Amino acid sequence: MIVRWQAEARHALRSFHSSAAVCAGLVSNIGKKPIVYPPTVTLEPTSTAIAVKGPLGETAVPLMPFMKLSNAAPNTLSVAVENPKERKQRAMWGLTRTLISNAIIGMTEGFTTPVYLVGVGYRAALETDPRGKGEGRNGQRLNMKLGFSHSVYVSVPDYITIEVPQPTKIVLSCTDKHKLGLFAAQIRRWRPPEPYKGKGIIVGNERIRMKTVKKK
């Protein structure tokens, strides 16, 4: 009787194992969602990539050989894979769907993120780059005062549109979400937010977990 009870207990534990749901579903929750795009966007898939053309330009998203694209309805794109049982294909399923969706948004609306300068005397100004255009520069640069003994100059890439509506606020815009994040991180690297007074360069809705100073 005790042996039978132990066997049933082991069976119950196996039934509620965390991997049971993964093996049963074999579906990417992100990848299975269809992508609805506006009529102003044109998609041209090939065997290695899908080209996205919109009002703001053109871009391409690389595709793995096992990715499958289909138009189940007008202006609707569905993404699937050949064998969902393979871990790599399931991972690339959701990633590819997200990259295509971001490319469509970038070519129609674009991406925008604010950058805030928090600190006494911190300010930024947009000025003409003395080196001019060329080598990926658009001819502008940021002149930032960040508490150093010198000014910090950051050249603006040609794929970034930048505005400085306030001395402590910078607005970055780009059609590529990845490149926008890289440039925002490049600015933030000069003064990462510190956790005691909250001073530094804050990107978007970033929240700083504050710490209390230990008193002796």
Side-chain angles (χ1 to χ4, degrees):
M1 185 67 180
I2 297 178
V3 175
R4 181 180 178 183
W5 177 82
Q6 291 176 347
E8 292 177 353
R10 286 195 296 268
H11 177 72
L13 289 175
R14 287 196 299 268
S15 299
F16 288 94
H17 196 270
S18 59
S19 62
V22 176
C23 296
L26 297 177
V27 175
S28 171
N29 292 328
I30 297 177
K32 69 180 181 180
K33 298 179 181 178
I35 303 173
V36 180
Y37 55 93
T40 56
V41 174
T42 303
L43 303 180
E44 298 179 358
T46 63
S47 58
T48 58
I50 177 171
V52 181
K53 298 180 181 179
L56 300 183
E58 179 181 354
T59 187
V61 178
L63 298 176
M64 299 295 288
F66 49 77
M67 298 303 304
K68 293 183 177 181
L69 304 179
S70 61
N71 292 95
N75 297 332
T76 302
L77 180 69
S78 299
V79 183
V81 294
E82 293 180 352
N83 186 8
K85 294 183 179 180
E86 294 189 10
R87 183 184 297 270
K88 181 180 179 180
Q89 294 193 22
R90 288 201 307 272
M92 293 301 299
W93 188 359
L95 175 62
T96 303
R97 192 265 181 202
T98 301
L99 292 178
I100 296 175
S101 177
N102 288 342
I104 293 173
I105 296 175
M107 293 301 106
T108 54
E109 305 173 6
F111 296 95
T112 302
T113 184
V115 178
Y116 301 97
L117 278 58
V118 180
V120 178
Y122 288 13
R123 61 185 184 274
L126 187 63
E127 60 185 25
T128 303
D129 194 335
R131 296 177 297 176
K133 296 183 179 181
E135 298 180 359
R137 303 185 304 270
N138 68 352
Q140 295 179 313
R141 70 177 184 181
L142 278 174
N143 182 356
M144 297 184 292
K145 306 289 185 180
L146 300 176
F148 300 115
S149 60
H150 55 84
S151 299
V152 175
Y153 299 101
V154 179
S155 297
V156 181
D158 52 5
Y159 51 82
I160 293 289
T161 303
I162 189 169
E163 298 178 0
V164 185
Q166 302 174 7
T168 58
K169 181 180 179 180
I170 305 169
V171 180
L172 306 177
S173 301
C174 183
T175 58
D176 192 318
K177 189 176 183 179
H178 178 65
K179 292 181 179 179
L180 179 65
L182 290 178
F183 184 67
Q186 178 183 348
I187 297 175
R188 182 184 183 274
R189 196 177 298 120
W190 285 101
R191 272 296 188 190
E194 53 91 15
Y196 294 100
K197 294 185 179 180
K199 297 193 303 181
I201 300 177
I202 300 176
V203 178
N205 296 326
E206 181 181 7
R207 295 185 178 274
I208 309 302
R209 181 175 294 179
M210 303 301 292
K211 296 181 180 179
T212 57
V213 180
K214 295 183 179 179
K215 298 181 180 180
K216 296 182 179 180

